[in-house]
C-alpha cells in the first residue's frame, strides 16, 4: 500500500515533537454515513457525542463531503469548531 503524500507532513510533525521517548496518541476513524447534518440534527449530534467521548488526538472521518447533495456547504467546519479541532478536508 502506498503512503499518501498528504499525510506525510502530519507524521513528520508528530515525530519532530517527540524527544525520542514514546508518545501516546489516540487515533480514531469514524464513518459518518452519507455526510454530516446541521447542528441540532440527530446524525450530526450523535457524531459529535461519539467523537467527544472518544476524545482522539487525530480523527479520520469517512463519507464527509465538501457540500451536501443540494449544494449547501458542509457542516464539517461547524463540527470541528464545536469540538475544538483544527481540520483539513482531503477528498
Amino acid at each position: 500500500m502506498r503512503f499518501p503524500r498528504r499525510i506525510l507532513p502530519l507524521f513528520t510533525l508528530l515525530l519532530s515533537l517527540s524527544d525520542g521517548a514514546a508518545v501516546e496518541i489516540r487515533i480514531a476513524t469514524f464513518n459518518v454515513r452519507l455526510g454530516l447534518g446541521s447542528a441540532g440534527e440527530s446524525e450530526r449530534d450523535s457524531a459529535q457525542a461519539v467523537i467527544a467521548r472518544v476524545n482522539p488526538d487525530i480523527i479520520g472521518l469517512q463519507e464527509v463531503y465538501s457540500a451536501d447533495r443540494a449544494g449547501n456547504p458542509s457542516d464539517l467546519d461547524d463540527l470541528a469548531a464545536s469540538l475544538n479541532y483544527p481540520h483539513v478536508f482531503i477528498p
Side-chain angles (χ1 to χ4, degrees):
M1 184 170 132
R2 188 173 164 203
F3 194 74
R5 289 185 201 169
R6 295 178 179 176
I7 304 297
L8 187 58
L10 174 63
F11 285 107
T12 303
L13 173 66
L14 291 174
L15 290 173
S16 70
L17 297 175
S18 170
D19 61 359
V23 176
E24 184 174 315
I25 300 172
R26 182 175 294 200
I27 300 173
T29 181
F30 188 77
N31 187 329
V32 297
R33 283 189 67 228
L34 305 174
L36 293 167
S38 298
E41 293 181 11
S42 61
E43 295 87 3
R44 191 326 197 114
D45 292 345
S46 294
Q48 181 179 355
V50 168
I51 295 167
R53 186 177 64 231
V54 173
N55 192 26
D57 298 303
I58 300 170
I59 185 163
L61 300 176
Q62 290 81 44
E63 296 192 46
V64 174
Y65 307 105
S66 60
D68 67 16
R69 291 186 177 130
N72 299 317
S74 171
D75 293 301
L76 179 60
D77 294 335
D78 180 54
L79 177 65
S82 70
L83 293 165
N84 199 27
Y85 278 100
H87 72 283
V88 175
F89 179 79
I90 302 173

